[in-house]
Tab-separated table of all heavy atoms in Angstrom:
chain	number	residue	atom	x	y	z
A	224	LEU	N	-56.582	39.479	29.661
A	224	LEU	CA	-55.262	39.238	29.086
A	224	LEU	C	-55.144	37.767	28.660
A	224	LEU	O	-55.724	36.883	29.271
A	224	LEU	CB	-54.155	39.491	30.111
A	224	LEU	CG	-53.912	40.881	30.654
A	224	LEU	CD1	-54.654	41.034	31.985
A	224	LEU	CD2	-52.431	41.091	30.907
A	225	MET	N	-54.349	37.582	27.618
A	225	MET	CA	-53.882	36.256	27.228
A	225	MET	C	-52.366	36.345	27.132
A	225	MET	O	-51.823	37.088	26.318
A	225	MET	CB	-54.463	35.801	25.895
A	225	MET	CG	-53.917	34.466	25.408
A	225	MET	SD	-54.677	33.868	23.878
A	225	MET	CE	-56.231	33.240	24.521
A	226	LEU	N	-51.658	35.584	27.981
A	226	LEU	CA	-50.207	35.688	28.052
A	226	LEU	C	-49.577	34.416	27.523
A	226	LEU	O	-49.997	33.296	27.869
A	226	LEU	CB	-49.765	35.898	29.506
A	226	LEU	CG	-50.414	37.094	30.242
A	226	LEU	CD1	-51.518	36.588	31.176
A	226	LEU	CD2	-49.394	37.886	31.048
A	227	HIS	N	-48.572	34.580	26.673
A	227	HIS	CA	-47.849	33.450	26.079
A	227	HIS	C	-46.399	33.467	26.574
A	227	HIS	O	-45.721	34.508	26.513
A	227	HIS	CB	-47.865	33.540	24.555
A	227	HIS	CG	-49.231	33.533	23.944
A	227	HIS	ND1	-50.084	32.456	24.029
A	227	HIS	CD2	-49.916	34.482	23.254
A	227	HIS	CE1	-51.214	32.726	23.399
A	227	HIS	NE2	-51.154	33.960	22.929
A	228	PHE	N	-45.931	32.304	27.044
A	228	PHE	CA	-44.571	32.181	27.562
A	228	PHE	C	-43.846	31.025	26.879
A	228	PHE	O	-44.452	30.001	26.553
A	228	PHE	CB	-44.595	31.924	29.071
A	228	PHE	CG	-45.144	33.050	29.889
A	228	PHE	CD1	-46.483	33.068	30.244
A	228	PHE	CD2	-44.329	34.085	30.313
A	228	PHE	CE1	-46.993	34.108	31.010
A	228	PHE	CE2	-44.843	35.126	31.079
A	228	PHE	CZ	-46.175	35.140	31.423
A	229	ALA	N	-42.539	31.201	26.689
A	229	ALA	CA	-41.693	30.145	26.154
A	229	ALA	C	-41.152	29.308	27.312
A	229	ALA	O	-40.627	29.842	28.277
A	229	ALA	CB	-40.545	30.735	25.352
A	230	GLY	N	-41.288	27.987	27.197
A	230	GLY	CA	-40.927	27.109	28.301
A	230	GLY	C	-39.470	27.168	28.706
A	230	GLY	O	-39.134	26.921	29.864
A	231	LEU	N	-38.575	27.513	27.761
A	231	LEU	CA	-37.137	27.557	28.061
A	231	LEU	C	-36.642	28.962	28.399
A	231	LEU	O	-35.443	29.161	28.586
A	231	LEU	CB	-36.350	27.028	26.851
A	231	LEU	CG	-36.640	25.570	26.457
A	231	LEU	CD1	-35.900	25.214	25.166
A	231	LEU	CD2	-36.279	24.621	27.577
A	232	ASP	N	-37.547	29.901	28.508
A	232	ASP	CA	-37.208	31.311	28.713
A	232	ASP	C	-37.097	31.617	30.213
A	232	ASP	O	-38.010	32.176	30.820
A	232	ASP	CB	-38.252	32.198	28.039
A	232	ASP	CG	-37.918	33.672	28.051
A	232	ASP	OD1	-36.823	34.030	28.534
A	232	ASP	OD2	-38.746	34.468	27.573
A	233	LYS	N	-35.985	31.252	30.811
A	233	LYS	CA	-35.841	31.384	32.255
A	233	LYS	C	-35.963	32.837	32.707
A	233	LYS	O	-36.514	33.133	33.771
A	233	LYS	CB	-34.492	30.826	32.702
A	233	LYS	CG	-34.330	29.326	32.439
A	233	LYS	CD	-32.923	28.849	32.830
A	233	LYS	CE	-32.739	27.378	32.495
A	233	LYS	NZ	-31.346	26.920	32.829
A	234	ARG	N	-35.422	33.757	31.903
A	234	ARG	CA	-35.380	35.166	32.297
A	234	ARG	C	-36.785	35.740	32.482
A	234	ARG	O	-37.107	36.325	33.521
A	234	ARG	CB	-34.609	35.980	31.250
A	234	ARG	CG	-34.507	37.467	31.529
A	234	ARG	CD	-33.705	38.159	30.434
A	234	ARG	NE	-34.273	37.911	29.113
A	234	ARG	CZ	-35.290	38.616	28.590
A	234	ARG	NH1	-35.819	39.603	29.284
A	234	ARG	NH2	-35.744	38.326	27.391
A	235	VAL	N	-37.641	35.577	31.479
A	235	VAL	CA	-39.005	36.122	31.568
A	235	VAL	C	-39.906	35.263	32.449
A	235	VAL	O	-40.684	35.787	33.245
A	235	VAL	CB	-39.606	36.270	30.153
A	235	VAL	CG1	-41.084	36.697	30.237
A	235	VAL	CG2	-38.829	37.332	29.358
A	236	ASP	N	-39.762	33.947	32.332
A	236	ASP	CA	-40.635	33.068	33.112
A	236	ASP	C	-40.481	33.290	34.614
A	236	ASP	O	-41.441	33.099	35.386
A	236	ASP	CB	-40.353	31.599	32.774
A	236	ASP	CG	-40.730	31.242	31.338
A	236	ASP	OD1	-41.300	32.109	30.644
A	236	ASP	OD2	-40.474	30.104	30.914
A	237	ALA	N	-39.295	33.722	35.042
A	237	ALA	CA	-39.050	33.960	36.466
A	237	ALA	C	-39.883	35.111	36.999
A	237	ALA	O	-40.104	35.218	38.223
A	237	ALA	CB	-37.574	34.221	36.710
A	238	THR	N	-40.372	35.985	36.107
A	238	THR	CA	-41.167	37.127	36.547
A	238	THR	C	-42.653	36.786	36.699
A	238	THR	O	-43.412	37.579	37.241
A	238	THR	CB	-41.056	38.308	35.568
A	238	THR	OG1	-41.695	37.961	34.302
A	238	THR	CG2	-39.597	38.650	35.298
A	239	TRP	N	-43.060	35.609	36.217
A	239	TRP	CA	-44.483	35.281	36.164
A	239	TRP	C	-45.103	35.035	37.528
A	239	TRP	O	-46.222	35.534	37.787
A	239	TRP	CB	-44.712	34.108	35.216
A	239	TRP	CG	-46.127	33.577	35.244
A	239	TRP	CD1	-46.530	32.313	35.524
A	239	TRP	CD2	-47.326	34.309	34.970
A	239	TRP	NE1	-47.897	32.211	35.452
A	239	TRP	CE2	-48.409	33.428	35.098
A	239	TRP	CE3	-47.590	35.648	34.630
A	239	TRP	CZ2	-49.742	33.821	34.908
A	239	TRP	CZ3	-48.908	36.042	34.445
A	239	TRP	CH2	-49.971	35.130	34.580
Side-chain angles (χ1 to χ4, degrees):
L224 295 95
M225 176 177 282
L226 306 102
H227 300 294
F228 295 94
L231 299 174
D232 187 3
K233 297 177 183 178
R234 179 179 56 84
V235 173
D236 293 356
T238 68
W239 172 238

